[in-house]
Amino acid sequence: MKDTDYTFGTLEDPAGGQDNRMQYRLTARAQITLELEAEYPASEGIPGSSGREMACDIRDISASGLCLLSEECLSTGALYPVSVSLGNHEEPFVLTVEVVWCRPERAGYLVGMQIVESAQTAYVEWTEAVASAMETP
């Protein structure tokens, strides 16, 4: 990772309120793809589904969460499987996130998400990548 891929916070960070993570946040050039509806095959008498995904830009990241800009309002407490493309990492991070808060922002929504620790995801690799980015001079 390059130090130009991340910065500490942004001028738009609220002074308090819902966006109050206890960890440093990095402003990142990253994109996230949320799986809003799972794909499932057709079965006898029941049509299949192609699923539905939404790509969003990430506003900032931390080891335990992220903030993104969404076209849709996402329900607080909802869990989503996601794929995060981050900086110079070749492979995206496959994670599970929980919506902590969602509020209107210009032409869409600003959404705060907590990363859910799970053995089936790249949770450990994610925390290592964020820690590495914070150590970069």
Side-chain angles (χ1 to χ4, degrees):
M1 284 183 215
K2 298 182 291 187
D3 60 348
T4 56
D5 289 335
Y6 307 96
T7 61
F8 285 95
T10 65
L11 294 176
E12 298 90 33
D13 285 342
Q18 294 176 327
D19 193 11
N20 57 357
R21 282 181 253 148
M22 299 301 291
Q23 299 171 339
Y24 284 111
R25 288 170 278 168
L26 297 169
T27 302
R29 292 186 200 121
Q31 190 168 61
I32 186 170
T33 302
L34 290 83
E35 183 180 324
L36 299 176
E37 295 175 10
E39 179 179 333
Y40 62 90
S43 61
E44 197 170 313
I46 301 174
S49 166
S50 60
R52 187 165 77 94
E53 294 182 337
M54 178 173 60
C56 302
D57 289 329
I58 292 177
R59 181 171 166 239
D60 63 53
I61 62 172
S62 73
S64 64
L66 52 90
C67 182
L68 61 87
L69 297 167
S70 170
E71 298 171 354
E72 299 180 27
C73 182
L74 302 175
S75 299
T76 302
L79 295 169
Y80 294 103
V82 299
S83 174
V84 181
S85 299
L86 183 64
N88 293 335
H89 290 270
E90 292 180 25
E91 294 295 318
F93 295 90
V94 176
L95 303 166
T96 299
V97 296
E98 178 181 3
V99 177
V100 178
W101 54 266
C102 181
R103 64 176 178 250
E105 176 76 15
R106 298 183 191 137
Y109 297 88
L110 198 58
V111 183
M113 299 186 148
Q114 178 179 348
I115 298 170
V116 178
E117 189 172 350
S118 172
Q120 292 82 28
T121 66
Y123 178 80
V124 172
E125 293 84 354
W126 171 264
T127 57
E128 290 172 351
V130 173
S132 174
M134 287 185 179
E135 291 174 357
T136 304

